[in-house]
Amino acid sequence: MDNVVDDKKVNQVVGFRNGESEEAPTPGYELPLLLLGGFRSLIDRLHAELARQGHPDLRPAYGFALQAVGPGGATASEIGRRLGVSKQAAGKTVDRLEALGYAERADDPADARRKVVRITPRGLDALARSAAVFDELRADWVRTLGAGPVRDMEAALRTVVPPEAFRLDASSWFAGS
């Protein structure tokens, strides 16, 4: 059997934006790269601004973990399930959030054997600042692209992104089924 490889399909990521003409169809691999690049640029700008505003140690993973804790608090096991990681991995992240002052552990009033992780005032401040920065970043996109195109892009993504895609975990991307 011959091993035939289409040179145009090899190293697609390396050849990203390889100067194809406007008339040529956009290669399929470009869409996830553009979405990832947009996400990454927003998250990088968010964290640069949060650092400037007094949260230099806050990392993207910590933001996801704070979202997993939620307003009512959660146990390490619940946080792990919400993030798609082990209880031990969630516990290590909570340890770091606690050391940085973003979360605290408290006795569960319903079960003294359990500890509940709660977001501290510093954590709430970081989340509030994050929301405000995301509003500013969206406004930047509106200034660059126009309000209509940004609204259209958001509407289009709401149409094609299924509701169950709004999960915090990404472990299923890497683990076997």
Side-chain angles (χ1 to χ4, degrees):
M1 172 184 263
D2 291 332
N3 288 328
V4 178
V5 177
D6 181 352
D7 287 339
K8 293 180 182 177
K9 297 288 184 191
V10 174
N11 291 324
Q12 293 176 352
V13 174
V14 175
F16 183 63
R17 294 196 179 171
N18 60 6
E20 290 185 25
S21 72
E22 292 282 329
E23 297 82 36
T26 302
Y29 66 84
E30 200 169 295
L31 178 61
L33 291 175
L34 288 168
L35 290 169
L36 178 62
F39 173 79
R40 179 67 192 262
S41 71
L42 290 169
I43 295 300
D44 288 350
R45 289 178 63 196
L46 166 72
H47 284 276
E49 182 58 25
L50 287 174
R52 195 185 69 67
Q53 293 185 22
H55 296 281
D57 296 323
L58 194 62
R59 301 288 175 258
Y62 302 159
F64 288 117
L66 288 171
Q67 293 294 326
V69 171
T75 65
S77 293
E78 291 167 333
I79 295 167
R81 276 192 300 279
R82 292 172 186 171
L83 293 174
V85 300
S86 69
K87 176 183 173 182
Q88 294 78 11
K92 286 181 181 182
T93 301
V94 170
D95 288 343
R96 187 68 182 138
L97 289 172
E98 205 171 16
L100 294 170
Y102 292 107
E104 63 187 3
R105 287 183 173 98
D107 291 331
D108 183 344
D111 184 348
R113 297 170 295 172
R114 292 178 6 144
K115 293 285 186 189
V116 175
V117 179
R118 299 198 192 290
I119 301 172
T120 64
R122 179 167 170 76
L124 292 172
D125 178 70
L127 290 174
R129 288 175 186 271
S130 293
V133 172
F134 276 130
D135 287 343
E136 292 171 18
L137 294 172
R138 185 185 184 282
D140 286 347
W141 281 37
V142 167
R143 280 189 291 280
T144 301
L145 302 172
V150 171
R151 274 194 312 272
D152 291 348
M153 177 177 43
E154 291 167 336
L157 288 169
R158 282 186 202 100
T159 300
V160 298
V161 175
E164 65 271 11
F166 290 104
R167 298 182 328 231
L168 298 174
D169 76 300
S171 61
S172 61
W173 298 353
F174 305 108
S177 40

